[in-house]
Amino acid sequence: MFVSPKPQPHVAIRKWADAEKPREKLLQHGAAILSDTELLAILLHTGHKNKSALDLAREVLQLAHHNLPELGRISVRKLQKLRGMGSAKAVTVIAAMELARRRQASPIHKKTVIRAGADAALFFKPILADHSFETFYVMFLNQANKVLNYRCISTGGMTSTIVDTRMIFREALEAQACKLLLCHNHPSGSLRPSQADIRITLKIKEQGQLFDIDVLDHIIVSETGYYSLVEEGVI
């Protein structure tokens, strides 16, 4: 008669040999030697009852199909469906993924002059690539097209977002910007602008004339590439 083996008792990470503990491995050998699971376990700090932080980290990665870009798209709510993943742990994971996005984009930010739509798309795509909802950004530039600042103006649903033009021009005046460049993403992957996209662009251009601020372009980005309303002759 076959008897299934008894499950192995859970052993807390703190009781492991130092050479096997993720934090100690990082201290001794550097972060590069750690697996994705071990790095994530360090962020999670603790597990839950009969599962270690490593066990919980494995479940998080399974939820993302062991794909880090996919992990960057997972919401706090979805993470919290895992047993032992409270709001503090979920927020920590989301914050880490956002830092990774910004780090990926930071070398591009050093190229501070925007000469064409492709430059703007290269700037914004790392920031917006993982978003599963529409997000609207504005880039603020000086007369020489040098980037002074950029700001997320609004976030919305899967197909739209609401843009507060007053916020845009308040930020522009504070930055002493002479030019603006608009950018938002299309989570669906389609790059074609909607009528709402065109209307808000024309509205911002019209209001910009009152402040002697020029709107250079409106860029739409998705995983498949980018669309420039100027290059395509839409505005």
Side-chain angles (χ1 to χ4, degrees), residues 195-211:
Q195 288 302 309
D197 294 336
I198 297 170
R199 282 196 301 269
I200 191 62
T201 306
L202 295 175
K203 179 180 179 181
I204 295 170
K205 279 182 68 71
E206 182 180 351
Q207 292 183 359
Q209 293 172 1
L210 300 175
F211 300 98

Side-chain angles (χ1 to χ4, degrees), residues 68-82:
L68 291 180
E70 183 66 25
L71 180 57
R73 300 184 183 99
I74 293 179
S75 66
V76 169
R77 182 176 296 180
K78 188 171 182 179
L79 284 172
Q80 286 183 291
K81 291 181 179 180
L82 296 175

Side-chain angles (χ1 to χ4, degrees), residues 127-147:
I127 299 171
L128 292 168
D130 294 337
H131 287 211
S132 58
F133 45 85
E134 280 204 8
T135 306
F136 193 99
Y137 271 81
V138 176
M139 180 187 289
F140 305 96
L141 306 101
N142 67 10
Q143 191 63 42
N145 286 11
K146 184 175 180 179
V147 179

Side-chain angles (χ1 to χ4, degrees), residues 162-188:
I162 298 172
V163 178
D164 185 347
T165 58
R166 294 170 301 177
M167 181 186 296
I168 292 173
F169 288 103
R170 184 169 64 246
E171 293 277 344
L173 293 171
E174 288 179 1
Q176 298 183 328
C178 299
K179 303 177 183 181
L180 303 178
L181 193 144
L182 316 176
C183 182
H184 78 283
N185 63 315
H186 277 179
S188 66

